[in-house]
Amino acid sequence: MNTRTGKAERRTDKALSHDKFTVLCDTLHLGITGTDGIVVKFDGSYSGIIAQVRLIILSSFVITLLVAVLIFCTIRILLYQQKLSEFRENFVRHMVHEIKNPIVYLKRVLELSARDKEDKLLHTAYHKIDHINLLTEKLLTTSSNKLVIRKQEVDIRAVLENIRASYPDTTLHTEIAQDIPTFRADPVHYGNALRNLVDNAVKYAPEIKRILIRCEVENGYISVSVRDWGMGIPLEFQPLIFERYFRVPPKKSVDVSGFGLGLSYVKMVAEAHGGDISFMSVYRQGSEFTIRIPYDDR
């Protein structure tokens, strides 16, 4: 196009020769001389482009709004679940404290009565009260996810002898190394943890209940192993057994009473003492659980 006359000299919709053209621009100094110029014309209209952009912007706004609504709903659900969990923990904590008061009283009465009389029923009732106390302690500890330990000198032989007396109908063999010293641990929680392992072994043992308890010093740790020849744990459920409220389905195990809190409680006790718990289990052949805590921790 001639920029002076405004007339088109040639059009690009026709075949162009190999001639060289020059462009004259009024606004940009392109270093082009002569009187020829170029006019660029878009086939599409600006309104079509704006309509397409408007659709994209509208879609983005709708998606952003949906994401914001989903985030808001998720936050509300999480806050509601947190309040519900706190309410449940507070309810369980108060309920357990109310239950423990009469348990402590009954335990004291039975202890005094059994001390004066050689009555097997009184001794059995005393140990059953101990078992109830263990259940309430597990429920209180695992529901609040907190464990406060108070360490004292512990004689493992006395602890295991007390546990053995709780199961008069079970053959409990103990193998205790001669060089085991007294060590510091929480006598209540540590004793309850060992009792829980023995209790599980008794529950899942066959009709002829045979349990082996081994105790030894191992690299600065007191190691207590509880072995049974019972049902064992299927391999697919073994990674879950320390989770709270988890229980192996009855079809794969023995249908016994419980809440699925025992092993999670034992793990909390072991870790609170600076130790750990491990196990080996073969389905339909038995299990062995080992709890270790440092004996020289002062």
Side-chain angles (χ1 to χ4, degrees), residues 23-137:
V23 177
L24 180 63
C25 181
D26 293 331
T27 57
L28 295 176
H29 299 287
L30 302 177
I32 301 174
T33 59
T35 60
D36 293 329
I38 294 177
V39 172
V40 179
K41 183 180 180 182
F42 293 98
D43 293 335
S45 62
Y46 289 107
S47 60
I49 297 175
I50 294 174
Q52 293 178 5
V53 174
R54 185 186 301 131
L55 181 61
I56 294 174
I57 293 174
L58 182 61
S59 301
S60 301
F61 176 76
V62 172
I63 293 174
T64 304
L65 183 62
L66 289 175
V67 171
V69 171
L70 289 175
I71 292 175
F72 176 76
C73 293
T74 302
I75 292 174
R76 284 198 62 184
I77 292 173
L78 291 176
L79 291 175
Y80 176 76
Q81 289 180 341
Q82 182 180 5
K83 290 182 179 179
L84 186 63
S85 178
E86 290 176 355
F87 173 79
R88 182 187 63 186
E89 290 178 3
N90 290 332
F91 173 77
V92 171
R93 191 179 300 113
H94 287 91
M95 180 186 68
V96 170
H97 279 303
E98 291 296 325
I99 293 175
K100 287 187 71 174
N101 290 332
I103 289 177
V104 171
Y105 176 77
L106 289 174
K107 182 179 178 180
R108 182 60 178 166
V109 171
L110 288 172
E111 182 181 10
L112 294 174
S113 301
R115 187 181 302 172
D116 298 333
K117 300 178 182 179
E118 291 297 328
D119 192 329
K120 185 178 180 180
L121 292 178
L122 283 177
H123 285 278
T124 303
Y126 174 76
H127 291 300
K128 292 299 180 182
I129 288 292
D130 255 353
H131 185 69
I132 296 174
N133 193 43
L134 168 61
L135 293 177
T136 56
E137 198 66 45

Side-chain angles (χ1 to χ4, degrees), residues 221-233:
Y221 286 82
I222 295 291
S223 174
V224 179
S225 300
V226 179
R227 183 180 180 185
D228 66 77
W229 286 263
M231 194 65 180
I233 305 169

Side-chain angles (χ1 to χ4, degrees), residues 5-20:
T5 63
K7 294 181 180 180
E9 299 290 341
R10 296 187 184 183
R11 298 179 181 274
T12 58
D13 55 357
K14 296 180 180 180
L16 298 176
S17 63
H18 295 288
D19 299 337
K20 294 182 179 180

